[in-house]
Amino acid sequence: MAQPPLPAAPAYGKASIADLLTSAAAAMGASGFSNVLRLPAARRICVVLVDGLGKALLTQRAGHAPFLRGVMAADGGGEHPRTLHAAFPSTTATSLTSLGTGQVPGQHGMLGYDVLDPEQDKVVNLLGNWDGGVDPQRWQPFPTVFEQLDGRIPTATVSLPKFAQSPMTRAALRGTTFLGATSPQARVQVAAETLAAHPTMLLYLYWSELDKAGHGHGADSARWESQLEELDAGMKRLAATVPPDTLILLTADHGMVDVPRPARIDYSQYPELVDGVRHTAGEPRMVHLYLEPDAGPGACARLVAAWLERFGTKAWVLTKDEAVASGYFGEVRDGASGRIGDILVLARETIAFYDLRRVGPHAIEMVGQHGSITKAEREVPLLRIPVTARSPKGSKRR
């Protein structure tokens, strides 16, 4: 069965999440980095990462974010792009590591929510339930932007306290001063105070609440709208309290789509979809299928045909070689190649795929989803938020 054309690969090296911190470092004058996003020069930069805020969602629900809506309407100056591409898969572990390291997924190896660890022959989680047999710094060996700036430009991360020493942080965002604050209001205050305390500073501020509301209740819910309103108020407060010479950049790690309950499919109930499969992993909207070593030369083609026969145009189904050749992961190093499924299933319509032999029944209750390469999931905003704080009386801006 013929498939719809595949979307183009993320714009790595041009306008992707992997290019943001490296461009910020270059805009602050750090050597060894390229300002591919053409950010304006600044002594203080605050990068706000809003988990789950796709550009389409922000545009559609802008009525609940009057401050950010005004920012978007007024943002006509500067050469920087207004849209970035999330990494692939469009999921937190992958995009945050690309942000933190400046590397494409095929290099840093954080290739999904969970993936195969070939050394252990088991599926390991790369987010909140990190496997004890995986060393974060060995799994992701590239230095972060923060590590590369050590001794040159002060850096800080403001995030939830529980992430201070998490394996995910150690893999993706290590090498910076970590400042924990539980509530969004507290994080904004800590960020503003930290920036004010340093004449030069690159600060990363993580905002988690929107994604949590989307997963639990959907992006089309009152709970999500409430969290967007909270974000809007927080960004207005941040703009009013940081030093006047701060460059505030707001972006996200991925977008989100709501998947209705009947479209959340347990694919393990169909024998032909798991025939010859040793492991399943990934996201409900971007599934990794790993074949048995002795599956045989025709197993891959048969499995692709079976998935296309059942789901037709609802998903793109492609082999590992096709995904790599398409540039979805960027250049793939040898040490990361074995973590990619032999077959990838990318949701095209509002559908999600689960292997309920492997995940608990609670997983299928998740409403908001991401992971695939649709525009709603991979396009995220890049907003330059004007600072409204005034210089202290009698001082001169430099």
Side-chain angles (χ1 to χ4, degrees):
M1 178 181 292
Q3 298 193 63
L6 285 168
Y12 302 125
K14 297 178 181 178
S16 80
I17 193 70
D19 305 307
L20 182 50
L21 277 187
T22 53
S23 291
M28 297 184 74
S31 60
F33 296 94
S34 178
N35 188 0
V36 300
L37 297 184
R38 304 177 299 281
L39 301 177
R43 292 192 307 154
R44 297 179 177 96
I45 295 182
C46 178
V47 174
V48 182
L49 191 292
V50 184
D51 202 324
L53 183 63
K55 184 166 186 178
L57 286 175
L58 180 58
T59 302
Q60 294 162 8
R61 314 304 285 282
H64 293 273
F67 175 72
L68 294 178
R69 182 182 64 210
V71 170
M72 290 189 289
D75 188 13
E79 298 181 352
H80 69 279
R82 273 61 176 177
T83 302
L84 296 181
H85 284 173
F88 178 81
S90 54
T91 194
T92 298
T94 307
S95 277
L96 285 195
T97 311
S98 283
L99 172 77
T101 63
Q103 298 288 336
V104 298
Q107 292 294 299
H108 63 62
M110 302 280 282
L111 299 172
Y113 173 74
D114 53 19
V115 298
L116 177 67
D117 177 5
E119 291 186 6
Q120 299 188 80
D121 189 29
K122 65 184 286 192
V123 172
V124 297
N125 186 275
L126 299 180
L127 199 59
N129 297 304
W130 199 276
D131 185 85
V134 178
D135 177 358
Q137 290 184 242
R138 185 167 174 263
W139 185 275
Q140 196 301 99
F142 291 90
T144 68
V145 173
F146 300 130
E147 288 178 311
Q148 295 175 65
L149 290 175
D150 185 37
R152 295 194 284 167
I153 293 175
T155 64
T157 289
V158 179
S159 185
L160 292 166
K162 66 181 180 180
F163 297 141
Q165 293 297 324
S166 73
M168 173 65 196
T169 295
R170 293 181 354 242
L173 298 161
R174 58 184 179 255
T176 183
T177 300
F178 190 97
L179 304 169
T182 301
S183 70
Q185 298 90 339
R187 270 173 264 147
V188 167
Q189 181 177 344
V190 169
E193 291 174 350
T194 303
L195 286 161
H198 296 81
T200 300
M201 165 66 68
L202 174 59
L203 186 141
Y204 164 67
L205 172 59
Y206 178 64
W207 197 285
S208 63
E209 287 75 11
L210 199 70
D211 184 71
K212 184 176 180 180
H215 283 313
H217 303 274
D220 193 27
S221 68
R223 185 73 62 91
W224 195 91
E225 291 172 351
S226 176
Q227 288 300 333
L228 181 60
E229 292 165 1
E230 181 71 31
L231 170 67
D232 192 65
M235 292 304 97
K236 184 175 181 180
R237 189 163 55 250
L238 183 68
T241 53
V242 298
D245 60 356
T246 304
L247 173 62
I248 304 175
L249 301 168
L250 181 145
T251 191
D253 53 348
H254 56 75
M256 185 173 286
V257 296
D258 287 357
V259 178
R261 181 61 182 83
R264 300 173 218 158
I265 307 297
D266 174 17
Y267 63 85
S268 68
Q269 65 182 304
Y270 304 109
E272 71 275 16
L273 301 185
V274 292
D275 182 33
V277 174
R278 183 175 182 83
H279 298 289
T280 66
E283 335 290 315
R285 288 183 57 80
M286 211 304 288
V287 176
H288 289 276
L289 300 174
Y290 305 87
L291 297 180
E292 294 280 4
D294 59 354
C300 193
R302 287 194 298 271
L303 202 57
V304 169
W307 275 85
L308 290 175
E309 178 67 24
R310 181 159 293 278
F311 293 109
T313 60
K314 293 181 179 180
W316 295 286
V317 186
L318 58 160
T319 66
K320 172 181 176 175
D321 289 345
E322 290 170 334
V324 171
S326 296
Y328 281 10
F329 301 103
E331 184 179 351
V332 179
R333 64 180 172 93
D334 290 343
S337 179
R339 304 170 189 175
I340 303 172
D342 296 293
I343 295 173
L344 306 179
V345 182
L346 287 61
R348 182 173 177 267
E349 299 181 5
T350 51
I351 193 169
F353 302 106
Y354 293 86
D355 180 356
L356 291 188
R357 303 169 305 173
R358 187 175 69 85
V359 301
H362 64 280
I364 207 167
E365 298 306 318
M366 190 159 52
V367 182
Q369 306 271 5
H370 53 83
S372 190
I373 202 163
T374 66
K375 288 183 66 175
E377 292 160 280
R378 79 170 184 174
E379 290 191 353
V380 297
L382 178 59
L383 300 185
R384 179 182 174 184
I385 299 178
V387 174
T388 57
R390 296 182 180 181
S391 300
K393 191 173 182 180
S395 68
K396 294 182 179 180
R397 294 180 62 180
R398 291 184 291 171

